[in-house]
């Protein structure tokens, strides 16, 4: 397996793992009852999580390809980005298929 494909798999798995962790936090976090008080802190925390997630997943998906592109490795950068997106879309399709299978 070549280096670019291996890096694409690592980036895709890291992105999927982060998404799974955030989803678990959000799912199980709703089960905790911490004194349901109306406060501005909940939307602030969710927006901070959203911005952090966008930055982290952007770094995982676009960070290395951008550096490679700047270094003049344009073909490799495009290949890495393409492989990463293809693997991530495959992971997304698998998760959607599991959703359909387990919600019947």
């Amino acid at each position: 397996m070549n280096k670019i494909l291996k890096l694409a798999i690592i980036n895709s798995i890291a992105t999927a793992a982060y998404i799974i962790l955030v989803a678990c936090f959000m799912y199980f976090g709703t089960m905790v009852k911490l004194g349901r008080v109306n406060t501005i802190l909940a939307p602030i925390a969710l927006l901070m999580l959203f911005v952090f997630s966008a930055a982290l997943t952007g770094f995982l998906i676009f960070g290395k390809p951008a550096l490679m592109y700047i270094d003049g490795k344009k073909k490799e950068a495009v290949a890495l980005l393409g492989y990463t997106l293809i693997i991530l879309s495959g992971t997304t399709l698998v998760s959607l298929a599991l959703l359909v299978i387990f919600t019947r």
Side-chain angles (χ1 to χ4, degrees), residues 17-93:
Y18 174 73
I19 291 168
I20 290 167
L21 285 173
V22 170
C24 287
F25 170 75
M26 294 175 84
Y27 178 76
F28 293 113
T30 60
M31 296 179 183
V32 177
K33 301 200 187 306
L34 295 173
R36 307 286 176 153
V37 178
N38 287 338
T39 177
I40 191 69
L41 296 177
I44 290 172
L46 286 175
L47 286 172
M48 294 292 283
L49 178 63
F50 175 72
V51 171
F52 176 77
S53 294
L56 182 65
T57 56
F59 172 76
L60 287 171
I61 294 172
F62 297 110
K64 184 67 174 176
L67 288 174
M68 291 170 75
Y69 193 85
I70 291 169
D71 286 341
K73 301 175 184 174
K74 295 180 181 180
K75 271 186 157 178
E76 293 91 347
V78 172
L80 177 58
L81 181 60
Y83 286 145
T84 302
L85 292 176
I86 289 169
I87 294 167
L88 195 58
S89 66
T91 307
T92 303
L93 290 176

